[in-house]
Amino acid sequence: MLEQLTQFFMDYGIWGLFVVAFLDSFILPIPPFFVQIGLSFIDPQASLRIALIAFTGSVLGAPIGYILGKWLGKPILQKIIPEKWVVLATEQFAKNGDAAVLIGSFTPIPFKVFTLLSGVFNYSLVKLLLFAILGRGLKFFLIGILFYLYGKHAKVLLDDYLEVSLLGVAVVVAILWFWWDRRRKKRP
């Protein structure tokens, strides 16, 4: 079924990619990377433009996820999770939300999780968009640059190393983030 849905969006080219990237930010269970990789494989010279389309759709969809989380998230959470856990999660997201959103925007974890939770826990929409621009830009353009530089061979690299590479980048970004955050808090 995932292959059929991916193929459906690929049939519409960059418009299909834009739609899947937009919807991935708040509801769709298909990561846009499958469509991005498929389109970039077909035309590696257009891979940077393809990355830009995916990036734009994803960032534009983030506020929708945020709004849905804000409107529907707390009532649903309060029905399925004890109140003390919701309070604890809200506190933790307020404390570590920056790192969670930044790192989550380019890990294999679905981006919709972070856009929805940002709304649920009243995280700053401006920060969500800023970190979405950084993280999603990094992820989409990394794939675009690989195809632009290596052509169709980039698919082999991505098949073998995408998840490990993205998790490695996430670890590096997390370390840099926590280092920067500590330095910022130590300033008078």
Side-chain angles (χ1 to χ4, degrees):
M1 170 136 162
L2 181 63
E3 285 182 31
Q4 292 168 332
L5 283 171
T6 301
Q7 187 59 50
F8 172 80
F9 286 108
M10 280 195 57
D11 290 344
Y12 290 95
I14 59 171
W15 290 108
L17 175 61
F18 179 84
V19 169
V20 78
F22 180 79
L23 294 176
D24 171 66
S25 292
F26 59 93
I27 194 163
L28 198 65
I30 301 170
F33 309 106
F34 296 131
V35 178
Q36 180 192 9
I37 289 169
L39 293 174
S40 294
F41 184 78
I42 292 168
D43 187 2
Q45 293 305 307
S47 61
L48 295 177
R49 185 177 48 132
I50 291 166
L52 179 63
I53 298 295
F55 166 76
T56 303
S58 184
V59 170
L60 290 176
I64 306 295
Y66 180 87
I67 291 167
L68 287 173
K70 200 162 198 62
W71 286 349
L72 304 173
K74 280 240 173 148
I76 292 171
L77 276 181
Q78 290 171 340
K79 288 182 183 189
I80 60 174
I81 297 176
E83 180 65 28
K84 65 181 180 179
W85 291 2
V86 173
V87 170
L88 179 63
T90 303
E91 290 169 2
Q92 288 300 313
F93 207 86
K95 192 161 122 181
N96 301 312
D98 293 352
V101 172
L102 178 61
I103 294 165
S105 65
F106 62 85
T107 62
I109 300 169
F111 186 52
K112 70 189 88 1
V113 170
F114 299 97
T115 62
L116 293 167
L117 287 177
S118 293
V120 169
F121 298 128
N122 293 314
Y123 184 71
S124 167
L125 178 59
V126 172
K127 284 185 177 183
L128 170 65
L129 291 174
L130 173 68
F131 293 133
I133 288 168
L134 292 172
R136 299 309 268 180
L138 180 63
K139 189 171 187 177
F140 287 117
F141 283 102
L142 175 66
I143 292 168
I145 289 168
L146 282 174
F147 272 98
Y148 188 78
L149 294 175
Y150 296 105
K152 294 184 178 193
H153 183 67
K155 175 125 175 41
V156 175
L157 296 172
L158 291 170
D159 287 346
D160 292 343
Y161 303 110
L162 177 65
E163 287 183 11
V164 172
S165 298
L166 291 175
L167 289 174
V169 170
V171 168
V172 170
V173 169
I175 290 168
L176 291 172
W177 175 262
F178 288 116
W179 173 77
W180 177 79
D181 194 45
R182 284 185 184 234
R183 284 193 60 188
R184 184 177 56 104
K185 288 179 181 175
K186 286 183 180 179
R187 291 183 192 160

